[in-house]
Amino acid sequence: MVKETCVTTRTVDPAVEMLLEEAAALGVSTAFSWAAAMAPCPIGENGRCCKNCHMGPCRLVKPGQRGVCGATLETVAARNLARAIAAGAAAHSDHGLDMAFTLEAVARGDAPGYEVRDPHKLRSVAELMGIHVDSKPVNDLALEVADRAIENFRQMRGELTYVSRAPAKRQEVWRGLGITPRSVTREIVETLHRTHIGTDQDPEHILRHALRTALSDGWGGSMLATDISDILFGTPSPTVAQVNLGVLKDDEVNIVIHGHEPTLSEMIVAAAQSPELVDRARSQGAAGINLCGICCTANEILMRQGVSVAGNFLSQELALLTGTIEAMVVDVQCIMQALGDLSSRFHTRLITTSPKADITGATHIEFDEHHAPEIAREIVRLAVDNFPNRDGRVVIPPVTNDLVPGFSHEYINYMQGGAHRSSFRPLNNAVIAGRIRGAAGVVGCNNPRTVHDETHTYLVREFLKNDVLVVMTGCGAIANAKCGMMLGEAMEYAGPGLREVCEAIGIPPVLHLGSCVDNSRILTVLTQMGTEGGLGQDIADLPVVGFAPEWMSEKALSIGTYFVASGVYTIFGVGSPVGGSDEVTRLIGEGWEKQVGARLEFEPDPQQMLAKALAHIDAKRAALKLAPYNPSRFGASGDRRTREAMALPMEERATALYGRVQA
Ligand code: XCC
Ligand code: SF4
């Protein structure tokens, strides 16, 4: 059900609030208390600190002040932003590259336990890559796709393969500016070179390369990560799952998978269901094995397997405080170092698995796709054998909600006309008619510098009221799922036009598209909306906006920047990492608007964020000569179908509302 949130100064999630109280009682620090005890550095916070060489660090705090090398504030702020974008792009893309290596190993028969689960997606990706599909055996084709993907990471000249997926007009914009990405590797290396002391000094020139670097993530590393994950593990379609800390079980072995990659977690899902390990859990006195996730590993296995989600970024420490987690298994990205110390205060085994990420205090069981099933079993066994070590203190907040995730681009296409007539026509027509005013992508992190989940959930509710369709990924998606916004019931927030369309097509008004790398799904959705007809010829023509309301990571900056470079006006909350420089703020605002047709803005005030977004959507509608948005034109729509569906049990309800639903 749609839940009213409990607003405190720290979070809108009652489960989180309950465990924060538990943390205080236990005298345990968390990101919330660290943040409260330490103000952000006022110099670094808005881009005024340079530590790119050892003549510094230089702190440019007075008007006109320069670094020892003569660098101006503009140059320093631009360089810092460019470097952050490169780091974010690297994180997504290194993940994408590993997916390509896994596909290669699978195709060669070197990765037992894995297979191509979606040969249909494999064929369509091969076609997009210009590979002849013919009647090639699946693994031969998979090898060609893997080779082409790997080539995309290492090629030094030319264009990324997926550039051709963007609207033709967008490609022209990129070529005209000289920012068509060559490869992730080339653009990231060049960013680091340009921002080394004494190289690129012109802020506009630095920032233009930042656009190119971000594009190599969005249309390269991330898009390949998404596509290859779909090929290996299946393209998501709607399924039913549960979310929030109440998914932890007091009488079962709880294993939490946290991080970003689906490769090992898919195997752990299988291992946790094996009769041998379930029996072993029973012999240890547990009723079974309960698997759930945090952050984007959670989103990956949620989208495809319906595995429940314990929470988003700021819930990771709190999950340990429940005293019920036998193992927290982590791979890469967004894993707080504090988990090392924290887990040692409880019986929880923190298990690192990536050759790239060790945490002091953790047990390292290195993942290797050539031996994945054994490694997954070893991890689950370790968790099971840890069950008797619980100390008896159990604090599981009794808070869960249901959600329906699984909206891939392919499924959104399919649900608008079935397998043979799939298209974006109904959605585009609804936008043209003004039933749907526009669309918003609300994505990104949590940040204890702002009330946990508050802006994510505020914006989404307001967008629905204003007939704006919402697509989500990452921790923002989890935030909204927790308060029931990813169910048909969320329709009660929707304006009449949006509601009518969602009922007719059979979708909820808030669509969960997946993990952080799956923001690339939003690019493919927007491309199709932009080229389907009636809404211009480019992503920049569409009445859409992008948001990262509670951002904190460098990956979020890369995502936001590739959205802008793709033509989407994007607003970040919390605060600006370049706010110290008016010139850089202008360059990424009106400067990028002139160059790529969209601006990047930082706006901490949620009401202002909303107002700016709606004004932008209406301006884009006007530019397309669409009817002005007028909610009174669409009166009481027939919500009979929703009401009937709501009266059914949960499993049948989802099928009634969303059509094809996985078991
Ligand atoms: Fe990390 Fe992907 Fe941010 Fe959440 S949303 S805090 S990056 S887990 Ni991408
Ligand atoms: Fe200071 Fe210039 Fe060195 Fe940066 S690169 S630390 S501004 S001297």
Side-chain angles (χ1 to χ4, degrees), residues 92 259-260 295-296 299 312-313 333-334 443-446 473-476 515-516 519 552-553 555-556 559:
H92 285 148
H260 279 77
C295 280
C296 281
N299 283 322
N312 49 13
F313 178 67
Q333 301 166 25
C334 301
V443 311
C445 323
N446 292 147
T473 63
C475 291
S515 65
C516 303
N519 283 304
M552 60 87 198
S553 76
K555 290 181 291 168
I559 293 164

Side-chain angles (χ1 to χ4, degrees), residues 309-355:
V309 178
N312 49 13
F313 178 67
L314 281 178
S315 296
Q316 60 184 287
E317 296 165 298
L318 304 176
L320 297 186
L321 301 186
T322 62
T324 63
I325 297 179
E326 275 57 56
M328 184 177 270
V329 187
V330 302
D331 49 40
V332 289
Q333 301 166 25
C334 301
I335 300 146
M336 290 187 189
Q337 187 170 354
L339 295 181
D341 272 348
L342 200 54
S343 60
S344 69
R345 298 198 44 158
F346 305 96
H347 80 300
T348 305
R349 295 289 293 267
L350 179 67
I351 301 173
T352 51
T353 59
S354 166

Side-chain angles (χ1 to χ4, degrees), residues 170 214-215 441 443 519-520 522-523 526 539 546 558-570 598:
R170 195 55 7 205
L215 282 172
V443 311
N519 283 304
S520 63
I522 301 181
L523 295 179
L526 294 175
I539 296 172
S558 179
I559 293 164
T561 306
Y562 75 62
F563 270 99
V564 170
S566 304
V568 182
Y569 172 40
T570 301

